[in-house]
Amino acid sequence: MRHLLSSFRHNQLNHRHITPHIHFIFSANYKPQKPQPPPAPPSPPKPPKKPVTFTHHGESWEDPYSWMSQLNDKVAMRHMDVYMEQEEKYIEAVMSDTERLQSKLQSEMGSRLSNELSTPPLRWGPWLYYRRVEEGKQYPVLCRRLAQANEDFISNKSPSAGFDFTSGKRIEQKLLDYNEEAERFGGYAYEELSEVSPDHRYLAYTMYDKDNDCFKLSVRDLNFGYLCSKPQADRVSNIAWGKDGQALLYVVTDHCKRPYRIYCSMIGSEQDDVLLIEEPNENGYVNIRHTKDFQFLTVHIFSTTSSKIFLIDAADPLSGMIPVWECEAQVHCVVEHHQGYLYLFTDAAKNGQLVDHHYLLRSPVNCSLNKRKWENIFSDDSEFIIEDVDFGDKHLVLIMRDKRNFRLCPISLPLPSMKEEIKLTELSPQFLPLPKNVSQIKPGTNYDFYSSTMRFTISSPLMPDAVVDYDLSNGKWNIVQQQNLLHERTKVLYGTSSSASFIQSARNSGSNNEVNPENHSTWNDLSEFYACEVHNVMSYDGIIVPLTVVYSPKRKKQAENPGLLHGHGAYGEILDKRWRSELKSLLDRGWVIAYADVRGGGGGGKKWHHDGRRTKKINSIYDYISCAKFLIEREIVQDNKLAGWGYSAGGLLVASAINSCPSLLRAAVLEVPFLDPTNTLLNPILPLTPADYDEFGYPGDITDFQAIRKYSPYDNIQKDILYPAILVTSSFNTRFGVWEAAKYVARVRDCSIYDPKHPVLLNLTADIVEENRYLHCKESALETAFLIKMMES
């Protein structure tokens, strides 16, 4: 072959040398081909229109895609299947030129996944509990091992798989293999509730049954590994142990998924489970939990008009319920017990006056409702706001906020005798060490009531979540798990890890409540590579809205960076500003990541929440628009290179902002968004709670209804206007209501000006993305590639 090739080349050269004029003649007559036009962009699907007219409060409107939500109409669902297939092909065609980019992004994101596939061990009584993922398996395994023999336990890899080669004994006990549970439930394992009994004998848990669209309760004997014959119930929404693990109380929902019954099951008994309470009111809901010392069970019954709490003796759960608290509707109430006193953490009205923040009350256990008197523990402090509390036997820990800065403050128990409200400063509080830029603090499960150690998860925009154990008895603190992105590994410390005294740290750090980085380099902070700034943005009505901006200083150029603006603004929930490794791919490409803490969300008190809900929902939308304009006007983000991102209710926020100002954003990503509040609130297909109506409005109220009609994304799409590129993600899982996303996408295409450079895409998954981290990487890579493509087009 080599000989033939060399001969061919030789003949070619000789030919050129002998007859050069022939080559000239060919060149003179050669006509270059015209460049081929680029292929026509793919055409978006056009689902059929079947207009249906609705009338409410004298107002009529037409919905051309109402048929998509008719789940019981077989013909409609066949049309829906065809439409979904068309959408799948369309997004593949539009994004086909980003396949290499998606692959690269997915590789980047996958490389940042934690290599340590074990949760940090949780000590409770004599045991260390943890979950780990076995190689090649999709779902984790729940395990435990004796704490006494494993004081230096770091992770499931020491010793490997829980086997001590020195003694030749297996020291790890597998409690539940979720891969086996997936086989029970058709290849799918999604757990909602999981509670080990206080005697460590049983595990009660609920798994999602896709076929029946409900959560199924099971109880497993941990000593012998088998499933108990009872209780086995469907549609379970809540569980709580009583009688030191001999009784399990559980809440069952009706067919509309409203929690309305509480049963008590005696483990090992052949008797039928006892119905303790049934809430007949269609607007009434029930919930149950145990106090942290397992002495009592609290039953919370709430509706659109009232909220009541009852107490059950955990030692005798069939002895009846004692009323201990009653207040107005839609308030947060949690009851705890400590040495003969009930403690109530609530934001209910105080002395008939609405309050803006939570406060802590206490009352003796042995007291009737008529004679019960709740006394306020801490006097109102304009400097500190209590966001959350956690109880132990010897300490109470307050999660506090100083304006927008978080603090952790332990208080010794029992509290001194009270003749009047206590001033926090009189207790000489010591603040636990925290890193800079803390955006949220979440208490751990902290099951061991009698332990002096409490676990918290610390979140920051510039730091991977840190799981921290604070020993409140001796001033030691440990980071028990935190991913170290700089070394592409996960830091897991337990028992023998280097620790520091938080008391000394607090003194050294002064009023900033931060660890001195020179002395304590334990926080895997990324401030060396990324910057975080907080701006005060004035909204349309003069209200100041906090705007957090994260960027790479090395890649920051004035008025040249693309940006992504996150928003949520609902249910009084704090906006999730945690460090997310998938956003690193955007930051390293020069993107600015911003977070708008709009009204309706958390972090600003009850008034901040109420000023962004129901008839005032429009405030949160205008707040978001003001933050977007601020980023462009201050040249933090380049004009026409700002994108929006919203999840669930945040999707409603971003979509409504687009309707109000279509040219403001270049692109938007809406994940499982709430887009059709008019129809959903009037005719709910999926069950809604009083909190949902209290958040978005009651359609029966004409004022609320008119407000819903004004902010509804689906009902206010502008006609003949160019919309930004939009990627809407949803799931075939009916829990998310895929029809809302499908209706919205179809209507935006139908009403707005068509431009292939501004595509409106629908991405559907058959699974819950958050439950599969590899699928999460794949979907994040698609979203990121979409954003990059739209900015570069």
Side-chain angles (χ1 to χ4, degrees):
M1 187 70 178
R2 192 177 302 146
H3 171 72
L4 292 173
L5 183 60
S6 60
S7 300
F8 175 73
R9 287 176 179 166
H10 179 73
N11 292 335
Q12 275 194 316
L13 291 172
N14 290 341
H15 184 73
R16 291 196 190 113
H17 177 72
I18 296 171
T19 57
H21 60 281
I22 298 176
H23 176 73
F24 172 78
I25 294 172
F26 287 162
S27 299
N29 294 311
Y30 175 72
K31 293 182 179 180
Q33 292 184 352
K34 294 181 180 180
Q36 295 293 323
S43 299
K46 292 184 178 181
K49 294 182 181 180
K50 303 176 183 180
V52 178
T53 301
F54 297 91
T55 302
H56 193 67
H57 287 306
E59 181 179 347
S60 297
W61 67 96
E62 192 176 81
D63 186 352
Y65 301 110
S66 176
W67 62 268
M68 293 186 184
S69 62
Q70 305 304 312
L71 303 185
N72 296 322
D73 187 332
K74 293 182 179 180
V75 174
M77 290 302 97
R78 281 198 295 270
H79 288 168
M80 191 67 165
D81 289 340
V82 172
Y83 175 44
M84 294 298 98
E85 289 179 7
Q86 293 173 347
E87 289 290 355
E88 185 178 359
K89 293 178 180 178
Y90 179 60
I91 190 172
E92 287 179 359
V94 172
M95 298 297 294
S96 61
D97 59 343
T98 68
E99 288 181 358
R100 292 184 64 184
L101 176 60
Q102 288 185 57
S103 179
K104 187 176 188 307
L105 290 167
Q106 190 172 349
S107 178
E108 289 176 11
M109 297 172 184
S111 68
R112 300 183 200 119
L113 291 176
S114 170
N115 292 326
E116 177 57 67
L117 301 181
S118 172
T119 60
L122 170 67
R123 183 162 187 166
W124 182 16
W127 294 99
L128 293 172
Y129 290 89
Y130 56 97
R131 296 172 191 258
R132 63 179 178 84
V133 178
E134 296 179 329
E135 188 175 354
K137 299 291 183 68
Q138 181 176 0
Y139 298 104
V141 180
L142 176 63
C143 306
R144 72 180 178 187
R145 59 178 72 187
L146 286 170
Q148 184 178 4
N150 296 272
E151 287 293 343
D152 297 335
F153 173 53
I154 296 176
S155 74
N156 65 287
K157 295 180 180 178
S158 57
S160 177
F163 190 83
D164 187 349
F165 292 96
T166 303
S167 64
K169 295 181 179 179
R170 181 168 294 280
I171 58 176
E172 176 185 85
Q173 180 185 0
K174 285 187 180 181
L175 305 180
L176 184 62
D177 188 335
Y178 292 96
N179 297 284
E180 295 178 359
E181 291 299 306
E183 294 178 5
R184 286 180 62 203
F185 293 96
Y188 179 77
Y190 176 49
E191 177 190 74
E192 184 177 54
L193 305 171
S194 178
E195 295 283 347
V196 175
S197 62
D199 62 354
H200 304 276
R201 171 72 186 275
Y202 299 101
L203 171 69
Y205 60 101
T206 61
M207 301 295 296
Y208 182 62
D209 184 351
K210 282 201 298 185
D211 294 336
N212 298 306
D213 191 26
C214 70
F215 284 93
K216 185 179 182 66
L217 172 65
S218 301
V219 176
R220 188 174 293 272
D221 188 314
L222 300 183
N223 287 350
F224 299 99
Y226 60 76
L227 282 173
C228 298
S229 58
K230 63 181 288 288
Q232 290 191 13
D234 294 333
R235 306 195 312 273
V236 173
S237 64
N238 206 224
I239 53 178
W241 286 102
K243 209 171 182 180
D244 198 28
Q246 298 178 44
L248 179 67
L249 285 76
Y250 59 93
V251 178
V252 172
T253 65
D254 61 16
H255 289 284
C256 294
K257 298 187 179 180
R258 175 181 66 94
Y260 77 121
R261 285 178 177 173
I262 298 179
Y263 288 91
C264 178
S265 177
M266 294 298 176
I267 307 299
S269 170
E270 296 182 357
Q271 296 179 352
D272 292 339
D273 296 349
V274 179
L275 177 63
L276 297 184
I277 186 173
E278 179 174 355
E279 174 56 44
N281 184 355
E282 291 184 357
N283 294 320
Y285 299 74
V286 300
N287 186 35
I288 192 167
R289 64 181 295 273
H290 63 76
T291 56
K292 293 196 67 178
D293 61 0
F294 285 97
Q295 297 296 310
F296 295 95
L297 297 155
T298 61
V299 176
H300 190 186
I301 302 176
F302 56 99
S303 68
T304 55
T305 57
S306 67
S307 182
K308 302 176 182 178
I309 294 181
F310 298 83
L311 207 63
I312 297 177
D313 185 355
D316 187 7
L318 301 180
S319 61
M321 301 192 306
I322 302 172
V324 295
W325 174 260
E326 184 174 356
C327 62
E328 72 273 21
Q330 297 305 311
V331 297
H332 181 228
C333 305
V334 177
V335 172
E336 277 296 345
H337 171 257
H338 185 272
Q339 296 185 9
Y341 280 93
L342 296 178
Y343 288 82
L344 175 66
F345 185 62
T346 183
D347 59 355
K350 188 188 294 185
N351 300 322
Q353 299 294 319
L354 295 177
V355 298
D356 200 27
H357 303 286
H358 285 77
Y359 55 95
L360 191 62
L361 304 173
R362 79 172 180 180
S363 176
V365 172
N366 299 320
C367 186
S368 64
L369 179 63
N370 295 334
K371 296 182 180 180
R372 183 173 298 280
K373 181 180 179 182
W374 290 92
E375 53 186 3
N376 193 39
I377 296 178
F378 299 111
S379 58
D380 294 335
D381 192 329
S382 58
E383 183 178 0
F384 294 111
I385 302 300
I386 301 176
E387 290 285 345
D388 204 351
V389 298
D390 202 357
F391 277 86
D393 183 47
K394 300 296 183 184
H395 293 89
L396 161 69
V397 177
L398 306 177
I399 299 177
M400 308 173 70
R401 184 169 48 80
D402 174 10
K403 295 181 180 177
R404 294 276 173 173
N405 300 315
F406 283 90
R407 303 271 184 118
L408 269 176
C409 179
I411 304 294
S412 296
L413 293 176
L415 293 172
S417 58
M418 293 174 50
K419 294 182 180 178
E420 57 184 17
E421 297 176 354
I422 301 173
K423 291 184 178 180
L424 189 60
T425 54
E426 295 175 353
L427 300 176
S428 301
Q430 295 286 348
F431 295 108
L432 307 183
L434 295 171
K436 294 180 180 180
N437 303 305
V438 173
S439 60
Q440 194 168 9
I441 302 175
K442 291 183 179 180
T445 50
N446 295 326
Y447 279 114
D448 202 333
F449 182 74
Y450 299 98
S451 172
S452 62
T453 299
M454 283 196 182
R455 178 170 294 177
F456 296 87
T457 299
I458 314 298
S459 300
S460 163
L462 292 185
M463 181 190 77
D465 281 1
V467 182
V468 186
D469 278 356
Y470 294 96
D471 191 330
L472 307 179
S473 66
N474 59 20
K476 301 293 183 179
W477 61 284
N478 293 326
I479 300 177
V480 296
Q481 189 174 67
Q482 185 183 29
Q483 186 177 8
N484 190 333
L485 291 175
L486 304 182
H487 298 89
E488 295 185 355
R489 63 181 176 84
T490 298
K491 182 176 185 179
V492 183
L493 303 175
Y494 195 84
T496 59
S497 64
S498 58
S499 58
S501 166
F502 68 73
I503 296 177
Q504 186 65 35
S505 298
R507 289 173 181 166
N508 291 343
S509 62
S511 60
N512 291 332
N513 191 33
E514 295 162 359
V515 179
N516 187 335
E518 296 179 2
N519 298 333
H520 307 292
S521 57
T522 53
W523 306 102
N524 289 319
D525 192 286
L526 300 173
S527 55
E528 180 182 350
F529 307 95
Y530 307 103
C532 180
E533 300 172 356
V534 179
H535 300 270
N536 292 323
V537 178
M538 183 176 292
S539 191
Y540 78 105
D541 56 356
I543 297 297
I544 300 300
V545 181
L547 176 66
T548 303
V549 177
V550 181
Y551 61 92
S552 170
K554 293 182 180 179
R555 294 170 175 80
K556 185 74 171 68
K557 297 179 182 179
Q558 189 172 5
E560 293 185 18
N561 297 79
L564 182 64
L565 180 59
H566 292 248
H568 186 68
Y571 298 104
E573 296 173 348
I574 293 177
L575 178 63
D576 185 2
K577 297 190 285 287
R578 295 175 301 162
W579 170 265
R580 288 164 48 197
S581 61
E582 60 265 29
L583 292 179
K584 186 177 187 297
S585 294
L586 287 177
L587 288 169
D588 292 346
R589 287 171 170 81
W591 282 61
V592 172
I593 309 299
Y595 302 89
D597 278 298
V598 303
R599 279 171 284 186
K606 204 168 183 177
K607 186 177 185 302
W608 187 262
H609 170 213
H610 286 188
D611 283 348
R613 66 181 187 131
R614 296 181 68 171
T615 57
K616 298 181 180 179
K617 189 65 188 172
I618 200 71
N619 285 338
S620 63
I621 299 166
Y622 286 144
D623 288 351
Y624 184 86
I625 293 173
S626 298
C627 288
K629 291 180 176 179
F630 179 90
L631 290 170
I632 295 171
E633 292 169 358
R634 294 297 181 93
E635 298 185 334
I636 299 172
V637 172
Q638 182 177 344
D639 188 16
N640 198 36
K641 283 203 172 183
L642 178 62
W645 191 94
Y647 175 85
S648 189
L652 180 147
L653 173 74
V654 177
S656 297
I658 291 172
N659 285 342
S660 298
C661 195
S663 62
L664 186 61
L665 300 178
R666 177 65 184 84
V669 175
L670 312 178
E671 286 194 1
V672 288
F674 181 35
L675 298 169
D676 188 14
T678 301
N679 291 304
T680 297
L681 295 171
L682 267 175
N683 305 295
I685 298 172
L686 300 177
L688 299 175
T689 67
D692 296 321
Y693 288 107
D694 206 50
E695 186 65 35
F696 299 104
Y698 295 86
D701 183 293
I702 188 170
T703 306
D704 278 5
F705 175 74
Q706 290 171 347
I708 294 167
R709 293 285 296 160
K710 287 182 180 178
Y711 73 71
S712 170
Y714 181 68
D715 295 311
N716 291 280
I717 298 167
Q718 294 194 38
K719 291 187 176 182
D720 302 324
I721 296 291
L722 181 63
Y723 263 52
I726 302 174
L727 172 61
V728 184
T729 72
S730 191
S731 170
F732 285 113
N733 190 307
T734 56
R735 295 171 63 212
F736 294 114
V738 67
W739 52 88
E740 283 205 23
K743 289 173 61 178
Y744 173 80
V745 165
R747 200 165 198 177
V748 170
R749 290 179 187 148
D750 186 45
C751 295
S752 63
I753 295 176
Y754 171 69
D755 184 345
K757 292 185 178 180
H758 290 233
V760 180
L761 306 176
L762 177 60
N763 181 43
L764 298 168
T765 63
D767 212 338
I768 298 178
V769 174
E770 287 74 10
E771 296 306 310
N772 187 322
R773 62 187 198 148
Y774 298 105
L775 179 59
H776 182 69
C777 272
K778 181 180 179 181
E779 297 304 312
S780 296
L782 172 67
E783 293 176 8
T784 305
F786 167 78
L787 292 171
I788 294 173
K789 173 183 169 73
M790 292 306 111
M791 293 305 168
E792 294 178 351
S793 65

